[in-house]
Amino acid sequence: MSGPSHDNHFFDTFMLVLGILVLIAFGLYFGASAISARTQETQVLADPMLQAKVAERIRPVGKVAISGEDNSAVAETVAAPADLKEMPGDQVYGSVCVACHGAGLAGAPKFGDKSAWAARIAQGADTLHKHALEGFSGKAGVMPAKGGLTSVTDASIMAAVDYMVSKSR
Ligand code: HEC
């Protein structure tokens, strides 16, 4: 049964099978490359959120200002101070100061009590403003800074002092 023709036939079949396998291997290779070019990764990389994160990570740590040049782009952005509210003096008084000064609690000079205020008013408006803004510990008790209302401007607190003083002299 064996002979040159049998060997030839085996060889031809063998080469044919080998050729088909090689073709399949190439097909898989190019097919995979074509698919991988269109993976999710391309979408992920194009995502603006991701790009913003990357930009933040690779942001330069410093900037150089050159004398004589326009350096406005280099200017440090200073965090704006917390937004303080402007409030009329009588409203400030009504929202916090009244808690102590209304009834004269804890040694606070009572609103409208002329004798309690006379010596304090005599210190001058600047001292009263300063004590109300920064807080003050006197013989009578403790006046907290801004009466505890730190969300309003200094001017609002000073207006409240002026309001109390005007009603107590
Ligand atoms: C927790 C209570 C309390 C609150 C709230 C409070 N005060 Fe007073 N305040 C006091 C006390 C107590 C004194 C007196 C301190 C002393 O002389 O020993 C005082 C004193 C003062 C004085 C006189 C300071 C001086 O030099 O004699 C002013 C002005 C004043 N307060 C303004 C205010 C204003 C304005 C507010 C509201 C924004 C306010 N206070 C809220 C307790 C308070």
Side-chain angles (χ1 to χ4, degrees):
M1 235 348 231
S2 92
S5 83
H6 182 257
D7 283 352
N8 275 347
H9 179 67
F10 170 78
F11 187 75
D12 289 348
T13 314
F14 183 76
M15 288 311 278
L16 182 67
V17 169
L18 204 62
I20 290 169
L21 286 175
V22 167
L23 278 178
I24 290 174
F26 272 106
L28 285 174
Y29 174 77
F30 288 111
S33 325
I35 291 167
S36 74
R38 277 177 274 122
T39 52
Q40 195 189 3
E41 198 183 352
T42 40
Q43 266 90 56
V44 170
L45 290 175
D47 179 15
M49 297 271 281
L50 180 88
Q51 288 183 346
K53 274 192 207 144
V54 171
E56 172 64 23
R57 268 184 249 130
I58 63 175
R59 178 172 57 92
V61 289
K63 293 172 181 172
V64 176
I66 301 161
S67 70
E69 302 277 314
D70 173 19
N71 290 314
S72 53
V74 178
E76 278 295 317
T77 42
V78 179
D83 257 340
L84 294 180
K85 258 201 313 186
E86 200 69 54
M87 206 191 256
D90 56 337
Q91 269 184 38
V92 174
Y93 172 77
S95 62
V96 286
C97 318
V98 67
C100 297
H101 289 274
L105 288 187
K110 192 176 167 188
F111 184 86
D113 182 342
K114 291 188 173 63
S115 62
W117 278 96
R120 299 185 185 274
I121 292 169
Q123 301 176 103
D126 285 350
T127 303
L128 294 182
H129 288 162
K130 188 171 183 289
H131 285 169
L133 288 171
E134 297 170 6
F136 161 67
S137 286
K139 290 193 194 79
V142 177
M143 162 67 205
K146 285 186 150 185
L149 188 63
T150 52
S151 61
V152 301
T153 59
D154 287 1
S156 309
I157 298 293
M158 293 195 274
V161 172
D162 296 345
Y163 171 72
M164 267 202 286
V165 165
S166 73
K167 302 283 183 187
S168 310
R169 53 161 99 244

